[in-house]
Amino acid sequence: MTRRRLRILIAKVGLDGHDVGARVVARGLVDAGMEVIYTGLRRTPAQIVRAAIEEDVDWIGISVLSGAHRVLVPRIRAILDEAGAGDIRMMVGGIIPQEDVPELEAAGVARVFLSGTPIAEIVEFLEQSPMDTQDA
């Protein structure tokens, strides 16, 4: 069996209006052969979950610079679970204090990428993550 291309939704949640990092990550993932859907700025948790389900993604990548990650990220996870989409995995990146990482992981985030993480590290993490579905 061969592994199908990963589908990743990159999202900016809340009032954060800076998307350069999210766009850089999205471009790097596309260059690595992944399918990327970018939702644009200032999305609500419900909008992100709806897009993730509609696009049938494997991962949601949340970019947060506003400091609202401790509230918004667990809300996204809760809405995913309520919608029966708990199999969609989440990663978070941006300006996140190291001391908040365990809290985000406890809320269901598979990996937190702090500001300045090389794109190659994100790609490697995603490529090495187990897939639930494979194509023949």
Side-chain angles (χ1 to χ4, degrees), residues 81 87 92:
D81 293 343
D87 60 327
V92 176

Side-chain angles (χ1 to χ4, degrees), residues 31-48:
D31 289 348
M34 298 175 196
E35 292 182 56
V36 176
I37 298 95
Y38 176 62
T39 64
L41 292 169
R42 299 180 184 96
R43 299 297 178 216
T44 67
Q47 288 172 323
I48 291 167

Side-chain angles (χ1 to χ4, degrees), residues 78-130:
I79 296 170
L80 280 168
D81 293 343
E82 290 165 9
D87 60 327
I88 298 175
R89 291 163 284 178
M90 288 178 50
M91 61 183 169
V92 176
I95 300 177
I96 298 176
Q98 182 68 46
E99 60 267 18
D100 290 352
V101 172
E103 182 179 341
L104 292 173
E105 290 172 344
V109 172
R111 179 80 181 264
V112 177
F113 295 99
L114 302 178
S115 182
T117 300
I119 299 298
E121 185 176 327
I122 300 169
V123 169
E124 180 180 4
F125 170 76
L126 290 168
E127 288 178 341
Q128 293 179 358
S129 295

Side-chain angles (χ1 to χ4, degrees), residues 9-57:
L9 182 100
I10 300 293
K12 296 292 297 182
V13 64
L15 298 177
D16 186 350
H18 302 281
D19 69 344
V20 172
R23 289 178 180 273
V24 168
V25 169
R27 181 78 248 167
L29 298 179
V30 167
D31 289 348
M34 298 175 196
E35 292 182 56
V36 176
I37 298 95
Y38 176 62
T39 64
L41 292 169
R42 299 180 184 96
R43 299 297 178 216
T44 67
Q47 288 172 323
I48 291 167
V49 169
R50 186 171 41 255
I53 292 169
E54 289 173 359
E55 295 289 347
D56 190 28
V57 300

